[in-house]
Amino acid sequence: MATTTTSIGGDGGGGEDRVMATAQQILKSLNTPKEVRDDMLLIFSSFDNRLSNITSLVNSGDSKREGDRFEAAEKVILRWDSGQGASRNSLFWEDAPDEAAEYLSAVDDILHWMDELSIQSDSAKIVERAENAIQIAMSRLEEEFRHMLIRSTVPLDAEHLHGSIRRVSLSFASHESENSDEFESFADVDRGSGIFHERGVSLGDDLRVDLINLDAVDDLKEIVDRMIRSGYERECLNVYISVRRDALDECLVVLGVEKLGIEDIQKIDWKSLDEKMKKWIQAVKVSVQVLLTGEKRLCDYIFSGSDDSEEACFNEIAKGCVRKLLNFAEAIAIGERSVEKLFRILDMYEALAYVLPDLQAMVPDEFVIDEAKGVLSRLGEAAKGTFCEFENAVRSETSKKTMLNAEIHPLARYVMNYLRLLVVYSNTLDELLEGNDDEDSRRLGDDGGENLELETMSPLARRLFSLIASLESNLERKSKLYADDSLQYIFLMNNIQYIVQKVKDSELGKLLGDRWVRKRRGQVRVYATSYLRASWGRLLSFLKEEGTVGSSNSALKLAALKEKFKNFNAGFEELYRVQTGWKVADPQLREELRISISAKALPAYRAFVGRHESQIENTRHAGRYIKYSSDDLENYLLDLFEGSACVLNHLRRKSSS
C-alpha cells in the first residue's frame, strides 16, 4: 500500500491534474438521476482523498441547473399572476394548449425542486420564494379549476333522456266510454269510473349521460394532481363539490323534483300531486342509476391519485342529491292517506327499493343509507295503511242509489279495476303484508276445503279474498234496494258475473284459484234460477189447467180459458215492456238467460195453446186471446235485457197457429 501511495503521489501536480481530468470525464458521462450519481460519487471518493472534490463539483453543477429551472418556472407563474405577457385570462383554452402545458410544467419544476434540491446556506430565502410561487400557482389553478368545471358542465337533456326511458303502462278501462287518468274519489263512486294507471319507468341498459364535456376531463385531472401534490387537496375538493352539487341540483329541477314539505303536499290537488309523484319515480331511478353513477365514474377518474379524496368528494356530492329525493318521499309517506294514492306510493316504494342496492354500493355514508332505508320503510307503512283504508271503504260504502236497469254497480267496477291494478304489485304487497293478514280472512270459508285453501294462499291473496267477500256482501245489501225480486236477481247476476270475469281475465285468477271461480259461477246460476222462478213462474201459472177441466158447464170453462189467455197476454206484455229495459251486460250470460227462459216458457205455452186453440178459434174476437204464436214469443224473447224498453203493439198474424 505504501508503494502504491508513493507512486500515485509522486507525480506531483501532474498526477492530480490527471485525476481531476478523469473526474471531468466522469461528470460528463454521469447522465443519471441525482440519487444514483450521489451513490456513485460516494464510492469514488472512498478510493482516494483527491477524488472527494468530485462530489462538490457535481453538486455545484446540479445546483446551477436546478437554479436555472427554478428561475424559469417562477417567471412563468409570476407572469400569469401579473397578467403581463399572458395571451388571455384563462390558461386552459382549446386553441392554445401549449401555455397550459408550460404553466403545469412550471409547477412541476418548482415542486420537484422543493422535493429534490439539497438546501445550501441561503436555502431559507429560496424556499420562501418557492412556497410563494406555489401559493400563487395554486390560487390560479383553483380558479381555473372552478371555471373549467362550470364551463364544461353539460346541462341535462330532458328530451333525449325521456326518449331513452321505456314506460310501462297498464290500462284497465272499466267501460268503453270511461277512461280517465286518475282515480276518482271513493266517496263519488256512484258516478262510475274508468281507471288508467301508468306504472313507473324502465331505464334502458345502455342509458348513459355525461354531465361534463369529456374533452375537459384530462385537464381537470391534471389540475387536481398538482393541487393534491402541493397540499391544496381540501381547496380542490371544496371547489369540485360546490360546482358538481349545484349541477346535480339543476338536474333534479329538470327532472321535476321540487322541494316540498308536508304542508305543501297537503295543499296540492290530487292530479298535480300525481304528476309530481310520477316525476319523482323517474327522477330517483335516473338520479341513482345514471347521474350518480356518472358522478362516481368522474370522481374515480379525476381523483384517482387519492382514494380518500375520491370517497369524500363523491360522498358529499351524492348526499345532497339523495336527501332532496328522500325529503319528497318522506312527505308523501307521512302525508294524508287516500285510496287513489296507493299505486303511486307502491311505485315510489318499488323505485326506491330498486335503486337502494346501487346506492349502498356507491355511497359510503352510512347515515345517508340509513335515511334511505327509513324512508323506504315509511313508504311501505304508508302503502299498507292506504290498502287498509281501501278495505274499510269497501266494507262501509253505503250509497243508496240504484242502477235503473240493474246493470253493474259503479262500486263493483271501481273495486275490481282497482284490484286488477293492485295485483301487479303482488310481490311487493306479499312482502309488506306478511304477518299482517286480516284475521277475519282466515274464517271466511264456508267449509273445511275453503278454509284449507285460504291457509295455502299468499298474504295478498287472503286479503283479496276477504275484500271481494266484503264487496259481495255490500252488493247483496244494495240488491235489496230494488222492490222487484226479479230485478234483485238480475242485479246480482250482473255484478257477480262481472267480478268473476275480472278475476278470470287477470292475475287475480291465479291468486284466488279455480275453486273460487267455480263457486261464483255456481252462484250466478242460482241467481238465474231464482230469477226464472220469480219472474216467469207467476206468468206460467196462468197456463195451468185449473178451472178448464172437470166442469160440465162449457160456458164457464170457456170463460175461464179466455181469462187465462188474457192474463197471460197482459203479463207477457208487461214483462216484455219492463225487462227489455233491463240490462244484462255480459253477452254470453244474456244469451244463456234467454235460452233458459225459452226452455221454461215456450213448451208450456205451446202445449197450452195446442190443447185449447180450437175452442178459442170458434169464438168472436179470437185474436184477442191467442195473440202470439210460440214463434212470436221466441222472437220477442230476443229483445230482453238489451237495456232499451220496448212496447208490444201486436196485430195477430194470420199464419199463426
Side-chain angles (χ1 to χ4, degrees), residues 528-577:
T529 302
S530 298
Y531 156 78
L532 289 172
R533 186 182 302 113
S535 191
W536 292 88
R538 181 172 182 275
L539 181 64
L540 295 180
S541 69
F542 296 127
L543 303 180
K544 292 182 180 180
E545 297 293 340
E546 288 88 346
T548 63
V549 295
S551 175
S552 58
N553 190 326
S554 59
L556 291 175
K557 287 183 180 180
L558 184 60
L561 190 61
K562 289 181 177 180
E563 188 66 19
K564 285 184 178 291
F565 273 111
K566 285 172 60 179
N567 289 337
F568 178 85
N569 293 337
F572 177 74
E573 288 164 5
E574 177 62 13
L575 186 150
Y576 179 87
R577 181 188 68 80

Side-chain angles (χ1 to χ4, degrees), residues 290-359:
V290 180
L291 303 183
L292 291 184
T293 298
E295 288 297 322
K296 181 72 165 63
R297 186 170 57 243
L298 193 63
C299 275
D300 288 349
Y301 179 75
I302 291 179
F303 293 94
S304 58
S306 172
D307 293 339
D308 290 341
S309 295
E310 286 179 36
E311 184 174 296
C313 181
F314 176 74
N315 187 63
E316 287 301 314
I317 293 171
K319 191 157 51 175
C321 175
V322 172
R323 280 182 173 152
K324 283 184 173 63
L325 291 167
L326 294 180
N327 286 341
F328 178 82
E330 176 81 10
I332 292 293
I334 62 179
E336 183 181 0
R337 293 174 182 173
S338 55
V339 295
E340 68 270 13
K341 293 180 183 178
L342 178 56
F343 301 104
R344 286 288 171 244
I345 293 174
L346 285 169
D347 284 337
M348 291 177 68
Y349 177 89
E350 289 188 344
L352 185 53
Y354 181 74
V355 301
L356 188 56
D358 290 337
L359 202 59

Side-chain angles (χ1 to χ4, degrees), residues 5-124:
T5 301
T6 303
S7 174
I8 294 174
D11 293 336
E16 185 172 347
D17 289 342
R18 286 195 298 273
V19 170
M20 295 309 298
T22 302
Q24 293 289 340
Q25 187 64 35
I26 292 173
L27 178 63
K28 293 179 181 180
S29 65
L30 287 179
N31 187 21
T32 58
K34 184 177 184 300
E35 294 85 350
V36 177
R37 292 203 308 270
D38 288 344
D39 291 342
M40 294 177 65
L41 292 173
L42 182 62
I43 294 171
F44 287 148
S45 63
S46 65
F47 288 109
D48 194 289
N49 58 2
R50 288 170 297 177
L51 293 177
S52 60
N53 289 334
I54 294 178
T55 301
S56 60
L57 181 62
V58 172
N59 285 339
S60 175
D62 285 346
S63 297
K64 186 177 185 306
R65 286 193 300 275
E66 292 291 349
D68 292 342
R69 289 176 60 189
F70 173 78
E71 294 282 350
E74 184 184 42
K75 183 178 180 181
V76 170
I77 291 171
L78 294 178
R79 183 180 76 227
W80 276 95
D81 183 51
S82 64
Q84 298 175 0
S87 62
R88 60 193 182 282
N89 292 329
S90 178
L91 277 167
F92 295 86
W93 208 256
E94 292 181 2
D95 59 351
D98 292 343
E99 292 189 15
E102 180 189 35
Y103 194 89
L104 293 176
S105 179
V107 172
D108 289 341
D109 285 344
I110 293 179
L111 290 174
H112 176 76
W113 181 87
M114 294 178 71
D115 289 340
E116 301 294 337
L117 186 63
S118 297
I119 306 301
Q120 303 300 322
S121 59
D122 60 347
S123 62

Side-chain angles (χ1 to χ4, degrees), residues 459-473:
L460 176 61
R462 286 194 290 270
R463 296 289 281 268
L464 295 181
F465 191 103
S466 172
L467 200 151
I468 295 177
S470 296
L471 172 62
E472 291 169 333
S473 296

